[in-house]
Amino acid sequence: MPLPLQLPETFAQIPRYKILYSNPSPIHPLTSIATPRISPHRPLITIHAKREDHSSPLACAGNKYRKLEYIVPDILSQSPLYHSHENNPTPPGPLQGAATTLVTEGAIQSNHTVQVVALARNLGLKALVLLHRGTGGGLAAASDKDAFQRSGNVQINHLLGAEVRVCEEGDPLAQDATPFLDELRASGENPYWIPGGASLHPLGGLGYARAAFEIAAQEEEMGLGGSGRFDYIFVACGSGSTVGGLVAGFKLLEKIRGLDVSKTIGERRKIVGILNSPTKPRAYHEGRVLTFARKAGELIGLDGERDIAIEDVRLDDRFVGTAYGVLDGESKNSLETMARTEGMVLDPVYTAKVARGMMHWVNEGEVADSAKPLEQVNVLFVHTGGQAALGAYADIK
């Protein structure tokens, strides 16, 4: 059995409800796609995958369960604090009594909604999801639009017993679900709102701050060559708190180990968030991730403003494709490459684009640090789950 994570006291005291397995999500090598060392002037590059899709016994395991672990204690409280929609201009006070219904939102093929619904079933609560037809381009690009709206994650939401409401493009509920939550309260329910991706929830970044400590513990067990750690960590950046949490967690680790976290040091590991949507410019996402990292950092014992800077946020927008949820040709090739060389199935919305970005960085030499060449560079690809959505993408064969 793995030893318990050694979290600093401030972090360890934050309430957490266990949703994940007792063992850390596994890390394994991706030997078939690793690039051999072809020149003494280029480093040996190792590539590993951290399987967040193997992290929990609940349905469609993926990265959202980590975030939800720190939200559940508030959900189960007799006076939950963070239950209202973030756009509500006059948010109500704490709920009177524990929540009875989890309410969340997402795109038609949202992984997040499935994980919230599975959690609700596990807790004995009702679940209601708002699916937005107008989010991204997955539905518009689908060759079989009816199948896209009833298969994949939509099918699983129904199987889990969720009440599913589809919001048409322009529906006011797509911007603010407050009126709907008010209706539920008037009917006698105690609804608890979880924002899409859980990123805007005040506790949404804590799960991946904890994951940073888990990765560091696994690095020590693995005995990696070179720097002894993963020099680059590639992960999807959608709503942003997965990346932000990792930034905060590794910053805290650096502080514990005596590094000056107020400065950017070239030898530090680099967390690279691969953006999956061209809807907003990269600068917008960088600002969001910085906000989430600082918010999580302050909760776990950092000084958010002093310890975490915009230079700590590295996002790459070169692989977003034409729209959120649309699998472009090059990302499809990456999905097929992973399946046919490593036997590992990715999802069409997030991890296929991350794999494409990671392989570009590796193959084009972008993981090599010209300022301080390394004999070995260790790369980690974070598989955040989402494979259930493949069923809705009829063009993938």
Side-chain angles (χ1 to χ4, degrees):
M1 290 290 292
L3 295 175
L5 289 186
Q6 299 300 308
L7 299 178
E9 184 177 2
T10 299
F11 195 172
Q13 288 180 345
I14 300 174
R16 169 177 166 259
Y17 180 93
K18 193 166 124 180
I19 302 172
L20 307 183
Y21 288 119
S22 298
N23 293 333
S25 65
I27 292 177
H28 63 84
L30 301 178
T31 56
S32 297
I33 65 166
T35 302
R37 189 174 190 180
I38 58 177
S39 164
H41 304 294
R42 296 191 64 180
L44 171 69
I45 299 174
T46 72
I47 304 176
H48 290 74
K50 182 163 176 63
R51 302 301 298 271
E52 296 292 81
D53 59 324
H54 291 178
S55 64
S56 172
L58 298 186
C60 304
N63 63 319
K64 304 305 187 294
Y65 285 130
R66 272 195 197 273
K67 301 181 185 186
L68 293 168
E69 285 196 316
Y70 282 96
I71 297 174
V72 172
D74 190 52
I75 293 171
L76 297 180
S77 166
Q78 288 302 308
S79 54
L81 296 175
Y82 308 117
H83 58 91
S84 63
H85 193 280
E86 60 273 9
N87 288 340
N88 188 347
T90 56
L95 283 180
Q96 299 305 307
T100 61
T101 304
L102 300 188
V103 186
T104 194
E105 65 180 350
I108 294 293
Q109 286 298 325
S110 165
N111 305 318
H112 164 79
T113 60
V114 166
Q115 291 174 55
V116 169
V117 173
L119 172 64
R121 310 322 294 170
N122 182 260
L123 297 176
L125 304 177
K126 299 175 184 177
L128 193 149
V129 298
L130 305 175
L131 299 181
H132 303 313
R133 283 172 56 93
T135 297
L139 176 59
S143 59
D144 187 337
K145 292 178 174 50
D146 288 338
F148 193 89
Q149 294 178 89
R150 67 171 185 267
S151 57
N153 283 318
V154 179
Q155 179 185 32
I156 296 172
N157 272 324
H158 284 293
L159 180 65
L160 290 169
E163 180 181 342
V164 177
R165 175 167 177 170
V166 178
C167 296
E168 301 296 333
E169 192 166 2
D171 189 329
L173 285 183
Q175 299 301 318
D176 187 355
T178 297
F180 185 68
L181 298 175
D182 289 341
E183 288 177 18
L184 289 171
R185 292 186 189 100
S187 70
E189 295 292 338
N190 259 359
Y192 192 104
W193 172 256
I194 300 176
S199 288
L200 288 172
H201 193 285
L203 307 174
L206 292 174
Y208 273 87
R210 186 176 189 277
F213 281 78
E214 182 174 297
I215 291 169
Q218 289 175 292
E219 289 170 336
E220 293 183 13
E221 292 177 0
M222 294 169 66
L224 292 167
S227 63
R229 59 160 192 242
F230 291 111
D231 304 289
Y232 287 83
I233 298 175
F234 291 89
V235 64
C237 184
S239 56
S241 65
T242 297
V243 179
L246 285 172
V247 169
F250 282 120
K251 276 290 185 175
L252 182 57
L253 269 168
E254 290 172 359
K255 191 167 189 174
I256 291 170
R257 293 171 179 178
L259 296 176
D260 182 356
V261 297
S262 67
K263 298 179 181 178
T264 301
I265 299 176
E267 290 99 352
R268 286 191 180 134
R269 71 180 81 240
K270 297 174 177 63
I271 302 157
V272 181
I274 302 296
L275 289 167
N276 55 72
S277 173
T279 307
K280 299 282 189 180
R282 185 179 67 191
Y284 167 84
H285 292 285
E286 289 171 340
R288 277 173 62 95
V289 170
L290 179 61
T291 297
F292 297 146
R294 284 175 167 171
K295 185 179 294 184
E298 288 166 0
L299 291 172
I300 63 179
L302 291 171
D303 181 324
E305 292 291 326
R306 186 181 70 84
D307 293 338
I308 303 175
I310 191 65
E311 291 80 13
D312 298 309
V313 178
R314 298 175 180 87
L315 303 183
D316 193 335
D317 62 356
R318 292 175 292 175
F319 313 102
V320 294
T322 58
Y324 172 82
V326 175
L327 185 66
D328 59 278
E330 291 188 50
S331 296
K332 182 180 179 183
N333 288 339
S334 298
L335 186 149
E336 291 174 345
T337 296
M338 282 292 195
R340 295 173 186 179
T341 61
E342 296 288 350
M344 183 168 68
V345 178
L346 306 180
D347 84 288
V349 180
Y350 298 99
T351 52
K353 292 181 179 181
V354 178
R356 177 188 168 196
M358 176 195 67
M359 288 190 279
H360 174 93
W361 277 65
V362 169
N363 294 334
E364 298 301 318
E366 294 183 20
V367 298
D369 185 352
S370 59
K372 185 176 181 181
L374 298 172
E375 287 294 310
Q376 179 171 318
V377 174
N378 301 311
V379 171
L380 182 65
F381 164 74
V382 181
H383 190 331
T384 51
Q387 298 97 314
L390 278 170
Y393 285 73
D395 296 335
I396 299 175
K397 299 179 180 179

